[in-house]
Amino acid sequence: MKGFTLVETLIATALLGTMAAAGLTGLLQASTAAQQIAAEQTQQERAAYALATLAADIQMAGYFGFAAPAGTGAAAMPLACGAELLRGRLRALEVQPQYTLSCAAFGRGSAPGSPVLVLRRASTQATVPQAGRLQWYSNLAEPEHNRLLWNGALPSALLPITDRSEVRNLIVRAFYIAHSSDGDIQTPSLRVKSLTAIAGHPAFIDTEVMPGVVSLQVEPMPDASHPTAVRIVLGLQRESVGRSGPSAPTAASLFTRHLALRNVPED
C-alpha cells in the first residue's frame, strides 16, 4: 500500500492550517459582531432610560395646580444652597448655559460647557402642610392669599382647606453633566439636584441619573422666553469592541428627542 509522500503531507498540512485559520477568523469576526450588537442594544436601552427620566419632568414642567407662584421671596427661605433656583418667577423650564449654582456640583465637578436644565412644577397630588417641605398654597377664590410654605403651618385665616384651595409640594430639579460617576472617576454622568426636605428644612440633594452620559444639549422651542417644547440631545459614551471585549471609550453617540411642555402657564 502506497503512503503519502513528504510533499503531499506538507501540502495537506498547509491546507488544513489555512482552513483552520479561516474558521477561527470567521468565528472571531462573528463574536466581535455579536459583542458590537449587544453593546449598541445596551446603549439604546440606557439612552431610552435617561431620556424617559428627563421626559417625565419636562412634560410636567409648569404644572402648579390652581396658579403658579409669581415670586418666591427666596432670600427668606432657610436654604443652605440652591436658593437662586427659587428666586423671582418660577419658570417651567430654564436653560443655564453653564453650571453656576451655589451648591457644589458632585461627580468631581460639572463638565465644562455643559448647560444646566432647570425644571419647576408642583406635585400632582394635593397634600397637607409639612414642616421642612417647601410647598405652594393656592386659593382659587382668593388668589391674594397664595403663598409659599416651609414651616408646616397655615395662618388660621386660611383654614380649613377646601375644594377651592390646596397645598402642593414644590418640585425643582436641575440636571447637569458631571466629570465622573458614582464609583468610577473615569466615566462622566448625568446628575440632578432635587428639592426635598432634610432634618426639617428645605434642601437640595444630588443624585446620579445615568453614568456614561458625556453631553447634554437643550433647545427650548420656539424660544427660551416662552417655550412650548424642547429638543434634547444626549451624548452617550460609546465603547469600541475588539477581540477581548469592550475597550476604551470612543466618540459619543447622540440621541435626540423632541418633547412638548404640557403645562405651560399663561402669561
Side-chain angles (χ1 to χ4, degrees):
M1 182 175 179
K2 184 179 179 181
F4 295 104
T5 65
L6 178 60
V7 173
E8 290 173 333
T9 302
L10 291 174
I11 292 174
T13 302
L15 289 174
L16 287 173
T18 301
M19 293 173 62
L24 286 174
T25 300
L27 183 62
L28 288 173
Q29 290 176 341
S31 177
T32 300
Q35 292 176 16
Q36 188 67 50
I37 292 172
E40 291 176 358
Q41 182 177 357
T42 299
Q43 192 176 53
Q44 291 280 353
E45 292 171 352
R46 294 174 64 247
Y49 172 82
L51 288 170
T53 300
L54 290 168
D57 278 319
I58 289 172
Q59 293 176 329
M60 284 301 299
Y63 175 77
F64 289 102
F66 289 152
T72 63
M77 295 179 195
L79 277 168
C81 65
E84 65 270 31
L85 296 176
L86 297 163
R87 293 195 181 104
R89 177 186 172 189
L90 293 186
R91 295 182 178 274
L93 180 147
E94 178 186 356
V95 182
Q96 300 178 357
Q98 59 187 357
Y99 192 99
T100 58
L101 304 182
S102 59
C103 300
F106 282 42
R108 295 173 58 236
S110 63
S114 177
V116 177
L117 171 62
V118 183
L119 302 169
R120 304 178 179 93
R121 65 179 177 93
S123 60
T124 57
Q125 297 292 326
T127 185
V128 296
Q130 176 185 345
R133 188 67 172 87
L134 195 57
Q135 299 174 303
W136 174 236
Y137 169 84
S138 58
N139 192 309
L140 191 61
E142 300 175 301
E144 66 273 12
H145 293 312
N146 294 353
R147 65 187 64 191
L148 283 173
L149 310 172
W150 58 80
N151 59 4
L154 267 174
S156 57
L158 303 183
L159 294 172
I161 295 177
T162 69
D163 59 354
R164 298 179 69 80
S165 61
E166 62 182 11
V167 174
R168 294 179 183 269
N169 291 336
L170 194 62
I171 296 174
V172 180
R173 294 194 172 105
F175 294 87
Y176 68 98
I177 302 298
H179 278 294
S180 64
S181 58
D182 295 342
D184 184 358
I185 64 173
Q186 301 299 324
T187 301
S189 64
L190 175 65
R191 302 191 65 92
V192 60
K193 289 191 178 293
S194 305
L195 180 63
T196 185
I198 299 177
H201 296 283
F204 281 89
I205 60 171
D206 195 300
T207 55
E208 182 177 281
V209 178
M210 173 68 69
V213 182
V214 299
S215 65
L216 169 66
Q217 300 174 38
V218 185
E219 180 186 356
M221 299 180 294
D223 56 65
S225 61
H226 192 73
T228 57
V230 64
R231 178 175 177 265
I232 297 288
V233 182
L234 281 183
L236 265 68
Q237 182 174 284
R238 186 170 62 216
E239 294 179 336
S240 61
V241 176
R243 295 185 177 182
S244 59
S247 59
T250 60
S253 296
L254 300 180
F255 297 86
T256 303
R257 189 166 180 184
H258 291 78
L259 298 163
L261 276 68
R262 299 173 178 172
N263 300 279
V264 177
E266 297 292 336
D267 284 336

